[in-house]
Amino acid sequence: MVPRLARYALIVLAITVMSVYLPFLYHKVSEKKVGKTQLFFSPVIKKFVFREMVGEGHKFVTQDESGNNYDRMTFETLIPFVYYKNMELWGKLPMTIDGRTFDKQTIKENRQVFELKPRMIADRSPRIQIFPLLESKPGVTRLRFPEDVFRLTDRMEFINVDTNTVDQDLTDKFTNAVKQAGFVFPARLTAGRVSILKPFDEGFFVVDAKGYTYHVKRVRGKPVVVKTPIPSDLGIRNIKVMENKKKEIYGMLLTDKGDIHLITYDDYRLIKLPIEDYNPDTMDLKLLINPLYRTAVYSDDHTIHAVAMDSRYRPISRYQRVMFSGRTTMADTVFKALFPFWIKTTDKTSGYLRFDVIWNGRPALIGIALSLFAGIAVMYARKFPIRKYWPDLAIIMFTGIYGLISVSVIEPER
Amino acid sequence: MENIIEVKNLTHYYGKRVIHENLSFSVPRGSIFGLLGKNGVGKTTLIKILMGFLRPVSGRCRVLGEDSHNLSSVARSKIGLLFEGHLAYEFMSIAQIEKFYSAYYPSWNRDLYYGLVDRLDLPYDHKIKNMSCGQRSQVVLGLIFAQEPDLMILDDYSMGLDAGYRRLFLEYLSEYVKDGTKTVFVTSHIVQDLENLVNEVMFLDRGGEVLQTSLDEFMTGFRQFRFKRNGSANTLHRDDVIRNLDITGDNASVFSFRPMAEVGAHLAEMGIETAGLEQVPMTLEDAFIGLTGKY
Amino acid sequence: MLSSILYKEWLKVRLFWGVALMLNIGVFVYLFVDLRHLFTIEHAEMIWYQAFKIGTLHYAYMKYLLVITGVIIGAAQFTPEMIGHRFRLSLHLPVRPNSMVLCCVLAGLLGVAVIGMLDVFMLYAIIARFFPHEGAKSALLTALPWLFSGLVAYLGTALTAMEPRLSRKFVYLAIAGGFLWLFYQGNDYETYNRALWKPALISLLFIPSVILPVYRYRNRTS
């Protein structure tokens, strides 16, 4: 009895190991190069245009949403704000659209790209809650890291990096400043862009215990704290600070409901993006701003969505399509038939590992049936009475090929 | 009489090679049972099977009334087992190994162990791995005696032992079996040692042939007859009467379980001149070789 | 009886346990020296930036330390049993073989775990010396799967060592090795925070599985 259980313990271990590595190997062998679809709103023809990889090598199509095909050069001239450098090369600048004329400088200055990927969301990746608060007015051209970092506990605590001890003065100074602005500890969210490779520093946006958002900066060594008018009942999940030279948008705010708001420099006024079917946990979101339009493009592995907006973020046009890379391939079908389930360890939408069991559904019945058949054949060949060893078959029934390999290699003891 | 070991229809193969075929025998309580056989006839294999370290192809073995393959802890505590080559935990010292084993056996006799081991004149922290073969055997036997087992199974106890150690061991063993309640199952390649020790013997031969008998019966019943050979001896061969034969120079010897008159008549019938036919006294070793052959 | 088995296991492994202990301490002493050196040649704020934002794991060379420890202790424990089939000596002891083996394995696990605990302590102490306590806590959470893999490495070694048949040894080695690697799927800090319990829980099955090679050892036919 006990040796039997020991054998099943080993079989479970073997199945676990196989359901991680066999699918991994399968993907390694079968995976083809797939590019995600690039989708834009053409200010020239007022339609969505896209470039999509449709086969091996460099087989691309460049189309608009109505299905018209374009050659590469024409395609690029349809989205001149993206390819403005080529436009200049081809001598097409300055150009006129809708009666307005754009030269290279205007295009360059009015282009902004904002991005939010699932991994960047605070609760989807681990982050040690220690941050440097940069000097916003350093008086020199380059930003540099201060010799202290802060943590938010029941106060705003500064730690000197050289001594690894709390800097009492600085801590008191900032704690008092944020408290005076009305901040209630502990903080719910601390958001900033920790880098010195950025044009300037906007400090941190901190959500307090009551849900209010504060903007905290260090200006000439002194705290500058602003209690923003952002509503406390918004349910803020993430704030991505941008620090864009244009100083139009502080950053993107994601709510628990999955809405995206832009925080503007206009006294922190929020602009809600009119996006539909956006899932922040699975989709990459890009906001492309050019002199005429704003386009939000968001996609998971399967579908790409886009909404084109005017300069006041009113929707003009929407589009969505299943990408070529999102279509089910032969390899996908074989995968699902071969493996009844697999264990997903890594997750590109999260900084946390998962170890989730993903069931492959109905096609797996084919693999299970074949495995059962093979399992019975193996038992028969090895003269193991099926009546006695039926649990082995039960294992195969639930785990398919993994079970087949496990019970055949770790064969029963007679 | 109660049987301490009972083997019925034991069959075992290594691959296609037959080691035992339908082997049946029993060892009664209080007997000192010698298992004799040349190298490679499966003595160690038999002991491995008896002690549950090997699963036989078929057949049944019972030791102390239990299935040898599922001996209970209680049964094992009553069996003193000497492994071929005097296996021991090499990483332990004299004192450590005694301390270790004493925890397992309720009637542990520490004095018996140190009585044997003290003769080695080694410090108690001397490691077993640094001992000679003889010294190690002394420690191992000491452990088995201290255990005071009901059944001792000794697999080739004499291996690597010089005469003195062997003699010492036999003395201890005689002492141990004196009251007649203890059973010993022993194999040895030094047959003569067993002559004064065992009261039952079993001869194993290649291919699974077996002869089980009491030592007395064997020593009196199995005989060697010698005669001067001449040309006619060439037709000499084994049969029902002539168990084995040996021709050395001018002398021919035949081995048989039959009395001299019968053997003489049988030889005459075969047309062999048996000038000066006489019975030759044999030691156990002679008889063993007579029975199983020199090679 | 239990204490007697522990006594035997201790006699077997103490030298190698000591070696493994010194190895572990040595690596952490090196970690300390290395970090101290780093902080003298580089600005602390940059090192902290690398550690917290970029995700540099300054203690990464302890990754396989407990795996090595587990293999050393497993080998020290079971090689002497397997040479010349001395395992039969243990199996002949008047104890149930399964209990005896589980006892040996738990003793070995304890040996690995004690060193693992010491690693935890040393890691925390050293990281907290140079970084805020958040950094030290993060280092522990990051190192936890590595420490767990040490226990799996030990159990895999035990399993493989006790198995009588060579071809099956390779099977166990593949399972243990494959499972071990499940604890090395992340490159950043704290990536296992939410899911470590899953492989850790399943890895407990390695403990009862050691019964199988013992059963196979006792039921060989050659």
Side-chain angles (χ1 to χ4, degrees):
Chain A
M1 189 60 195
V2 177
R4 271 186 113 177
L5 292 178
R7 174 176 172 254
Y8 287 128
L10 262 167
I11 285 174
V12 172
L13 289 167
I15 290 170
T16 307
V17 169
M18 275 191 279
S19 56
V20 173
Y21 297 108
L22 290 187
F24 172 79
L25 282 177
Y26 182 90
H27 282 135
K28 270 263 143 91
V29 172
S30 72
E31 204 164 43
K32 301 271 191 305
K33 193 165 108 189
V34 281
K36 260 198 166 179
T37 301
Q38 294 165 285
L39 182 62
F40 308 94
F41 184 71
S42 166
V44 181
I45 57 171
K46 315 285 188 268
K47 277 182 184 173
F48 284 99
V49 296
F50 59 88
R51 184 221 288 270
E52 193 165 83
M53 194 179 218
V54 293
E56 282 184 59
H58 287 83
K59 250 171 99 182
F60 286 102
V61 290
T62 36
Q63 276 182 356
D64 64 22
E65 57 182 303
S66 317
N68 302 313
N69 280 298
Y70 300 97
D71 63 46
R72 185 175 168 172
M73 195 166 162
T74 316
F75 179 78
E76 291 183 2
T77 53
L78 290 180
I79 38 175
F81 298 134
V82 178
Y83 290 102
Y84 72 95
K85 280 179 186 157
N86 280 352
M87 301 299 287
E88 188 193 21
L89 202 68
W90 298 330
K92 294 191 175 181
L93 288 187
M95 59 177 183
T96 307
I97 301 175
D98 297 350
R100 286 175 65 186
T101 303
F102 304 95
D103 62 7
K104 186 184 172 190
Q105 201 54 31
T106 336
I107 297 171
K108 209 173 156 185
E109 277 170 11
N110 286 288
R111 264 168 51 92
Q112 293 177 72
V113 179
F114 300 134
E115 201 177 13
L116 182 67
K117 293 182 174 181
R119 249 176 191 274
M120 299 169 175
I121 298 169
D123 57 22
R124 292 190 68 85
S125 284
R127 175 66 164 103
I128 298 172
Q129 295 295 307
I130 293 271
F131 308 93
L133 185 60
L134 270 59
E135 171 56 56
S136 295
K137 293 222 163 63
V140 287
T141 48
R142 284 187 55 177
L143 294 169
R144 48 188 291 267
F145 284 120
E147 276 119 56
D148 47 63
V149 295
F150 73 90
R151 65 162 73 100
L152 291 164
T153 53
D154 55 348
R155 54 181 186 163
M156 188 163 178
E157 202 166 84
F158 280 81
I159 308 144
N160 183 289
V161 296
D162 290 318
T163 60
N164 196 14
T165 53
V166 173
D167 183 329
Q168 203 58 52
D169 282 353
L170 209 54
T171 300
D172 293 344
K173 220 155 69 178
F174 273 84
T175 306
N176 290 338
V178 294
K179 275 188 172 166
Q180 261 170 24
F183 191 92
V184 181
F185 288 99
R188 284 188 197 168
L189 179 74
T190 312
R193 196 169 144 207
V194 177
S195 172
I196 47 173
L197 304 172
K198 56 189 185 184
F200 60 95
D201 181 71
E202 255 330 327
F204 282 80
F205 283 80
V206 188
V207 181
D208 80 349
K210 298 239 149 120
Y212 288 102
T213 306
Y214 293 76
H215 187 187
V216 183
K217 279 166 78 169
R218 176 189 228 168
V219 181
R220 292 188 195 91
K222 294 204 172 64
V224 174
V225 183
V226 178
K227 181 175 183 176
T228 71
I230 296 171
S232 64
D233 58 357
L234 202 57
I236 298 171
R237 184 172 168 197
N238 193 70
I239 292 172
K240 177 135 190 275
V241 177
M242 299 301 184
E243 286 155 348
N244 189 296
K245 259 195 222 161
K246 188 97 169 108
K247 294 211 174 183
E248 184 183 311
I249 296 161
Y250 279 117
M252 284 201 283
L253 186 156
L254 172 70
T255 67
D256 293 332
K257 284 192 291 188
D259 294 332
I260 294 279
H261 299 265
L262 302 177
I263 308 170
T264 65
Y265 274 77
D266 174 20
D267 192 27
Y268 306 98
R269 186 174 57 85
L270 296 183
I271 298 169
K272 188 175 163 188
L273 289 186
I275 46 179
E276 290 169 359
D277 300 323
Y278 167 64
N279 181 350
D281 292 311
T282 56
M283 291 179 172
D284 291 352
L285 172 85
K286 239 184 203 173
L287 178 65
L288 305 162
I289 296 178
N290 63 41
L292 283 174
Y293 298 103
R294 276 109 218 261
T295 314
V297 181
Y298 45 106
S299 62
D300 53 20
D301 286 341
H302 187 255
T303 314
I304 188 162
H305 308 250
V307 52
M309 297 161 277
D310 65 12
S311 55
R312 298 178 66 187
Y313 297 93
R314 287 177 301 209
I316 296 170
S317 180
R318 290 180 191 276
Y319 179 64
Q320 75 174 67
R321 70 180 267 108
V322 173
M323 294 178 286
F324 187 83
S325 60
R327 291 179 204 178
T328 309
T329 62
M330 188 64 197
D332 294 337
T333 313
V334 172
F335 177 81
K336 288 192 168 175
L338 195 57
F339 305 110
F341 61 90
W342 60 294
I343 293 178
K344 185 174 180 171
T345 53
T346 54
D347 179 356
K348 67 171 192 273
T349 68
S350 169
Y352 293 105
L353 294 168
R354 292 177 56 169
F355 291 93
D356 284 349
V357 175
I358 314 280
W359 294 91
N360 274 344
R362 219 165 272 174
L365 290 176
I366 302 166
I368 287 178
L370 289 176
S371 299
L372 260 180
F373 198 70
I376 293 169
V378 168
M379 276 189 171
Y380 188 77
R382 289 179 179 172
K383 299 188 177 73
F384 288 113
I386 287 164
R387 193 182 268 268
K388 191 173 166 198
Y389 297 105
W390 63 267
D392 283 20
L393 293 180
I395 287 172
I396 299 177
M397 220 161 82
F398 287 106
T399 62
I401 190 168
Y402 310 126
L404 173 67
I405 297 173
S406 306
V407 302
S408 310
V409 172
I410 307 171
E411 58 177 23
E413 303 298 323
R414 283 169 209 272
Chain B
M1 202 176 351
E2 179 200 355
N3 285 327
I4 295 294
I5 298 176
E6 235 175 47
V7 173
K8 277 214 177 77
N9 302 325
L10 177 74
T11 298
H12 194 69
Y13 306 98
Y14 284 147
K16 286 210 166 106
R17 197 159 71 91
V18 179
I19 305 296
H20 303 299
E21 192 154 36
N22 275 322
L23 176 66
S24 296
F25 69 94
S26 52
V27 178
R29 177 184 291 279
S31 67
I32 300 169
F33 193 101
L35 178 66
L36 298 178
K38 286 186 286 193
N39 289 335
V41 297
K43 296 187 300 258
T44 296
T45 301
L46 181 59
I47 287 180
K48 281 183 185 167
I49 292 170
L50 286 178
M51 289 294 93
F53 300 129
L54 211 56
R55 169 88 73 179
V57 173
S58 68
R60 220 172 68 140
C61 303
R62 295 181 77 80
V63 177
L64 296 172
E66 293 182 12
D67 176 17
S68 76
H69 220 83
N70 258 319
L71 288 178
S72 67
S73 304
V74 178
R76 260 182 279 130
S77 74
K78 291 178 184 163
I79 302 170
L81 180 57
L82 174 78
F83 292 89
E84 188 184 25
H86 304 97
L87 279 194
Y89 292 123
E90 308 262 299
F91 51 87
M92 290 187 181
S93 70
I94 288 176
Q96 284 164 349
I97 203 163
E98 190 272 337
K99 185 178 163 196
F100 171 70
Y101 275 104
S102 65
Y104 295 96
Y105 300 100
S107 50
W108 185 256
N109 191 333
R110 190 175 184 274
D111 295 341
L112 267 178
Y113 173 76
Y114 280 109
L116 261 167
V117 168
D118 281 345
R119 290 165 193 256
L120 294 174
D121 218 9
L122 288 173
Y124 286 175
D125 61 359
H126 196 85
K127 283 263 182 343
I128 292 173
K129 64 170 168 245
N130 297 329
M131 291 182 179
S132 72
C133 205
Q135 290 170 327
R136 191 175 69 234
S137 73
Q138 197 85 340
V139 171
V140 174
L141 293 168
L143 292 171
I144 293 175
F145 281 122
Q147 183 188 332
E148 302 216 312
D150 292 347
L151 168 64
M152 247 189 219
I153 295 183
L154 307 169
D155 192 2
D156 206 355
Y157 73 87
S158 53
M159 193 164 132
L161 294 193
D162 59 31
Y165 279 122
R166 254 165 46 219
R167 182 67 59 83
L168 182 70
F169 165 74
L170 289 172
E171 284 166 18
Y172 263 79
L173 198 60
S174 311
E175 190 64 28
Y176 166 77
V177 297
K178 212 170 47 185
D179 69 354
T181 59
K182 314 278 191 188
T183 312
V184 178
F185 184 89
V186 57
T187 75
S188 174
H189 68 275
I190 300 184
V191 179
Q192 67 200 46
D193 277 1
L194 300 183
E195 191 162 354
N196 301 318
L197 180 72
V198 299
N199 46 35
E200 294 244 357
V201 283
M202 182 169 77
F203 297 94
L204 273 184
D205 213 342
R206 285 201 187 85
E209 268 183 62
V210 178
L211 172 71
Q212 187 188 352
T213 168
S214 80
L215 185 67
D216 284 347
E217 221 168 276
F218 177 66
M219 293 305 287
T220 52
F222 192 59
R223 303 177 181 91
Q224 180 184 7
F225 305 103
R226 190 160 54 197
F227 55 93
K228 284 267 176 272
R229 80 174 188 134
N230 50 33
S232 64
N234 290 340
T235 59
L236 205 54
H237 59 87
R238 285 177 222 188
D239 55 24
D240 287 352
V241 179
I242 300 168
R243 181 74 190 217
N244 211 343
L245 52 92
D246 181 30
I247 295 170
T248 321
D250 283 345
N251 288 321
S253 284
V254 295
F255 299 88
S256 176
F257 284 101
R258 309 288 170 84
M260 187 154 88
E262 201 179 315
V263 172
H266 184 73
L267 288 171
E269 217 171 89
M270 291 167 83
I272 293 164
E273 286 176 37
T274 52
L277 182 70
E278 56 170 348
Q279 186 177 343
V280 185
M282 290 191 293
T283 63
L284 180 61
E285 191 171 82
D286 297 334
F288 172 68
I289 293 166
L291 184 71
T292 60
K294 282 180 183 156
Y295 44 85
Chain C
M1 214 106 71
L2 175 74
S3 62
S4 187
I5 287 175
L6 291 181
Y7 176 65
K8 176 179 75 131
E9 298 310 305
W10 173 241
L11 290 179
K12 252 191 307 192
V13 301
R14 58 183 176 181
L15 176 67
F16 293 92
W17 190 83
V19 168
L21 181 70
M22 293 324 286
L23 176 74
N24 278 262
I25 291 174
V27 166
F28 279 98
V29 168
Y30 180 74
L31 173 63
F32 177 79
V33 172
D34 192 35
L35 279 178
R36 200 174 62 172
H37 171 251
L38 186 66
F39 274 83
T40 53
I41 59 163
E42 262 196 65
H43 288 295
E45 66 271 21
M46 284 312 292
I47 303 170
W48 285 24
Y49 165 71
Q50 285 157 5
F52 299 150
K53 169 73 182 173
I54 307 293
T56 308
L57 308 178
H58 293 102
Y59 44 90
Y61 41 75
M62 62 157 291
K63 247 185 181 180
Y64 304 107
L65 190 56
L66 210 64
V67 168
I68 296 168
T69 303
V71 172
I72 289 176
I73 292 178
Q77 232 183 324
F78 294 101
T79 314
E81 300 273 356
M82 293 306 142
I83 292 176
H85 286 292
R86 280 184 181 73
F87 200 34
R88 287 179 299 178
L89 289 167
S90 304
L91 289 174
H92 183 66
L93 293 171
V95 196
R96 281 214 295 277
N98 293 349
S99 323
M100 185 273 295
V101 168
L102 283 178
C103 201
C104 290
V105 165
L106 290 176
L109 273 182
L110 185 72
V112 181
V114 166
I115 292 179
M117 300 288 244
L118 193 74
D119 287 352
V120 164
F121 178 76
M122 290 190 290
L123 180 64
Y124 190 90
I126 292 169
I127 299 296
R129 166 93 167 62
F130 296 98
F131 296 93
H133 63 77
E134 287 91 341
K137 185 182 153 213
S138 168
L140 284 197
L141 289 170
T142 308
L144 209 56
W146 306 340
L147 297 175
F148 234 98
S149 71
L151 301 179
V152 170
Y154 167 77
L155 289 164
T157 307
L159 197 62
T160 309
M162 284 190 282
E163 167 61 38
R165 219 168 93 198
L166 185 66
S167 58
R168 182 62 75 84
K169 278 181 197 276
F170 285 113
V171 173
Y172 295 161
L173 218 51
I175 295 173
F179 208 95
L180 204 68
W181 201 240
L182 296 183
F183 294 107
Y184 292 92
Q185 301 287 307
N187 295 317
D188 297 320
Y189 60 71
E190 297 185 44
T191 48
Y192 277 86
N193 279 12
R194 292 184 185 168
L196 180 62
W197 65 273
K198 296 180 195 173
L201 203 67
I202 296 177
S203 75
L204 292 180
L205 287 174
F206 274 108
I207 298 174
S209 71
V210 297
I211 300 291
L212 187 65
V214 178
Y215 178 83
R216 287 167 55 78
Y217 187 93
R218 290 172 56 229
N219 288 275
R220 285 167 302 157
T221 51
S222 62

